[in-house]
Amino acid sequence: MPLDLNAFAAYAKVVELGSFTAAAEALKLSKSMVSRQVSMLEDELGVRLLNRTTRKISVTEAGAVVFERASRIVAEAEEAERDAVCIEGAVRGRLRINAPMTFGIRELGPVLPKFLARYPELVVDLELNDRRIDLMEEGFDVSLRISALLDSSLIARQLAPVRRFIVGTPEYFRMHGVPKHPRDLADHSFILYTQVPRPEALEFQDKAGKRLSVEVKGALLCNNADAANSVLMAGQGLSVSPDFLCFEALRSGRLVSVLDDWQTAPLTLHVIYPHTRHLSAKVRAFVDFAVEEFGPGKAPWIGPLGQAAKKRAAK
């Protein structure tokens, strides 16, 4: 005889809330009905799940295992129900999104009104930070990340390449000279972004595939790209700047790039979400939107950057 999903739901709610009374209220059932469903589940499984006294209930060892499984079963069932509704065209509920601070402000924020207008029944909970997060532990549905290596327990869809440039102001280069080789960078001060492994160690590769590692000095170490960019624009040093952050300043000539024949380690913008048997409609909607806005050939910083990057400090 197949086990009753309602019995699993009742048991999970009893353990979650700590009492039959609270579970009954949450499920809008009578206390006796909830108790009967839990007893039926124990009979079907052939194990005691709860120790009951007049004052409290406690979970047995077997009950703890069943609770973990029951919670997953109920969550899958709720997800299936939401998906079934969304098949009819409704994307609703709360969508928790995480994104890097600077990218979120400069690139994601301006296009979010289009996404919200498209799905008026959806509430977006957007959190911007530059630290490495645990998507599942912190309860996010989806994340945008700029990285090279990714957690294999997550699904990552590539959106756009993110190239990084060695940049500085024309004034800085007039005062301190133009580096002709990556080794020359050791004689310059850098504004370093600290949310990457070993920010002082720069890895390069030339067109022939030759690799070179250079250690640089930090005039400023900062965990926020916008704050670091302000110091860069004031001519206080060089920076390893991602294209989406520097392409407008390169195009206008407020920044110039050097050593363009040497490529720094490439990064990629990904949209990331947890493995799940059924991708929820709200996550699917955002993934599709991210591809639409930032997918191959769509990212706004890629087009003009090719010309902008040709501006040389030597000029």
Side-chain angles (χ1 to χ4, degrees):
M1 179 179 178
L3 296 174
D4 186 354
L5 179 60
N6 291 325
F8 277 107
Y11 172 68
K13 190 62 68 175
V14 169
V15 176
E16 177 187 343
L17 299 180
S19 78
F20 284 89
T21 301
E25 292 177 356
L27 295 171
K28 295 181 172 57
L29 298 172
S30 67
K31 180 180 177 182
S32 61
M33 175 61 75
V34 172
S35 179
R36 185 158 56 250
Q37 288 178 329
V38 173
S39 295
M40 288 170 53
L41 183 60
E42 288 179 319
D43 291 342
E44 290 292 335
L45 296 175
V47 294
R48 178 177 291 278
L49 303 175
L50 300 172
N51 292 315
R52 303 166 176 82
T53 68
T54 55
R55 293 187 176 182
K56 65 177 183 177
I57 62 170
S58 61
V59 181
T60 66
E61 184 177 357
V65 173
V66 173
F67 171 67
E68 182 181 349
R69 299 294 180 88
S71 298
R72 292 180 185 177
I73 291 170
V74 172
E76 286 283 346
E78 291 174 346
E79 195 73 34
E81 181 181 9
R82 287 193 293 269
D83 282 352
V85 171
C86 291
I87 288 174
E88 298 302 319
V91 176
R92 58 166 61 98
R94 182 178 294 270
L95 178 67
R96 295 200 68 213
I97 304 173
N98 175 267
M101 180 72 71
T102 298
F103 183 85
I105 294 171
R106 290 172 176 254
E107 304 297 335
L108 179 58
V111 300
L112 270 182
K114 185 191 303 185
F115 182 68
L116 293 171
R118 188 176 299 177
Y119 303 108
E121 296 184 76
L122 188 66
V123 175
V124 170
D125 182 352
L126 174 63
E127 182 172 316
L128 302 179
N129 56 57
D130 290 335
R131 63 182 176 83
R132 184 176 293 276
I133 66 159
D134 186 313
L135 198 68
M136 299 183 68
E137 184 175 316
E138 299 184 43
F140 290 103
D141 297 299
V142 64
S143 175
L144 291 172
R145 289 187 191 170
I146 299 170
S147 59
L149 300 177
L150 298 164
D151 187 339
S152 61
S153 67
L154 302 171
I155 297 175
R157 182 164 180 178
Q158 293 188 8
L159 297 177
V162 176
R163 186 178 175 188
R164 294 179 294 173
F165 291 84
I166 306 297
V167 297
T169 62
E171 292 78 12
Y172 175 88
F173 289 117
R174 279 196 289 271
M175 292 181 62
H176 300 281
V178 179
K180 303 298 184 182
H181 190 277
R183 286 190 291 268
D184 298 339
L185 297 176
D187 299 325
H188 291 264
S189 294
F190 271 76
I191 293 95
L192 297 174
Y193 177 65
T194 58
Q195 296 288 7
V196 295
R198 299 193 65 217
E200 298 93 344
L202 304 185
E203 302 291 333
F204 293 91
Q205 179 175 307
D206 68 9
K207 293 181 179 179
K210 179 181 177 181
R211 295 180 181 274
L212 179 67
S213 179
V214 178
E215 293 281 336
V216 298
K217 302 185 295 289
L220 171 72
L221 288 85
C222 184
N223 69 348
N224 179 265
D226 274 314
N229 197 58
S230 297
V231 179
L232 168 69
M233 298 302 296
Q236 296 300 306
L238 304 182
S239 179
V240 185
S241 184
D243 45 18
F244 69 85
L245 180 59
C246 69
F247 84 95
E248 288 286 4
L250 285 170
R251 184 166 58 182
S252 67
R254 290 177 294 135
L255 288 176
V256 288
S257 65
V258 295
L259 303 175
D260 290 343
D261 289 337
W262 292 81
Q263 185 175 357
T264 58
L267 299 176
T268 303
L269 173 65
H270 298 85
V271 58
I272 301 172
Y273 47 95
H275 280 286
T276 180
R277 183 176 300 175
H278 301 288
L279 183 63
S280 68
K282 62 185 179 182
V283 172
R284 186 182 299 111
F286 182 77
V287 170
D288 291 343
F289 180 77
V291 172
E292 177 185 317
E293 294 294 328
F294 306 117
K298 302 291 184 64
W301 59 85
I302 292 177
L305 192 60
Q307 295 302 317
K310 293 179 181 178
K311 292 181 178 290
R312 299 287 184 167
K315 295 181 180 180

